Amino acid sequence: MKLTRRDFLKISSAATAGLALSGMGFNLTPVQAYTWELRTKDAKETPTICCYCAVGCGIICHTDKKTGQVIYTEGDADHPINGGSLCAKGASSYQLAQNPKRVTKVLYRAPNSDKWVAKDWKWALQEIAKRVKKSRDASFVEKNAQGQIVNRCMGIASVGSAAMDNEECWIYQAMLRALGLVYIEHQARI
């Protein structure tokens, strides 16, 4: 049998390929497919807005229907601003809810103290309400210099959040106006 150089290269390359594939575990026997269920299969999907900047990207938050815990977050593909894409901060928003280092208690430091004390939420909300009422009562102006009724609170100011949507802003403004606030600023971009 006459073996040409071309035939030798064909045979040796086929043998090399066969050895390489056999070494990688290449097998032509049928395999059984492995499947798994998505962890978000039975989760409740809630659309929300990213809390980091004023762009207002849409996020879908997946929560467990039984426990209410956040399972997964992803960009909302139907959102007109981001179309499903998220920046690094927005993509990591899942870690806001699922983080062992997250502070879950109210930390209070009394005036002239150098120590933080853990307090419960009921105490904190009552303390905030008490201080708002005290400040409002101390700085409330019922009538101006001309004797006209103005009902203004001159001792409290508010700076809103860029992450609030229109509905939240309306409720927030209604509360501030009910308190009589005059100094109201807001960074509404969404």
Side-chain angles (χ1 to χ4, degrees), residues 49-62:
I49 296 172
C50 182
C51 61
Y52 283 110
C53 71
V55 174
C57 296
I59 296 177
I60 296 177
C61 184
H62 299 269

Side-chain angles (χ1 to χ4, degrees), residues 103 105-110 113-119:
V103 177
K105 296 179 181 176
V106 175
L107 296 177
Y108 173 72
R109 190 177 75 184
S113 175
D114 62 346
K115 294 188 172 115
W116 292 93
V117 180
K119 299 281 188 175

Side-chain angles (χ1 to χ4, degrees), residues 49-52 59 70 73 89-104:
I49 296 172
C50 182
C51 61
Y52 283 110
I59 296 177
V70 176
T73 58
K89 285 185 175 183
S92 68
S93 61
Y94 167 77
Q95 295 174 359
L96 287 173
Q98 300 299 330
N99 187 345
K101 295 181 179 180
R102 179 180 177 205
V103 177
T104 57

